[in-house]
Amino acid sequence: MLFRGIGPGLATYGIEGFLTDPEIILHDSAGQVIARNDKWSANLGSISETVGAFGLEADSRDAAMVLPQWPGQYTIHLQRADGGTGQGLIEIYDLDL
């Protein structure tokens, strides 16, 4: 699964007041944090293209992570890494194409 937490990437679409440094956090059904990330890696660009996600700049401050698909229920949070507020977008893509 590809999880993306978009903040700065929204500026391309005219959205103002976006999260400037988003952090994406995945919790299991017990509320335990099982993964978190506040960085974008240009290495994920080709994976994003494969699933049809819009592109992000190589030096983007958006967040993304690739994790295996585990059975169960999960909650995903998107927040600004420094605790601030703003607009954000969570995207989840199945990589089992």
Side-chain angles (χ1 to χ4, degrees), residues 1-6 22-24 36-42 44-45 48 56 60-67 78 91:
M1 303 292 289
L2 170 63
F3 299 88
R4 298 194 335 162
I6 309 300
E23 177 181 32
I24 193 167
R36 68 187 324 144
N37 188 286
D38 72 340
K39 302 288 183 255
W40 164 254
S41 170
L44 296 176
S48 293
L56 296 170
S60 173
R61 293 188 59 99
D62 295 290
M65 58 187 172
V66 174
L67 298 170
L78 181 63
E91 299 178 318

Side-chain angles (χ1 to χ4, degrees), residues 49-97:
E49 289 176 17
T50 300
V51 296
F54 63 87
L56 296 170
E57 299 293 324
D59 61 348
S60 173
R61 293 188 59 99
D62 295 290
M65 58 187 172
V66 174
L67 298 170
Q69 184 176 357
W70 302 297
Q73 298 175 346
Y74 299 92
T75 301
I76 193 162
H77 290 155
L78 181 63
Q79 64 187 27
R80 203 164 96 178
D82 67 3
T85 61
Q87 301 292 323
L89 172 67
I90 296 173
E91 299 178 318
I92 304 171
Y93 296 94
D94 184 357
L95 298 178
D96 187 23
L97 302 174

Side-chain angles (χ1 to χ4, degrees), residues 10-16:
L10 297 175
T12 303
Y13 301 96
I15 297 172
E16 298 176 5

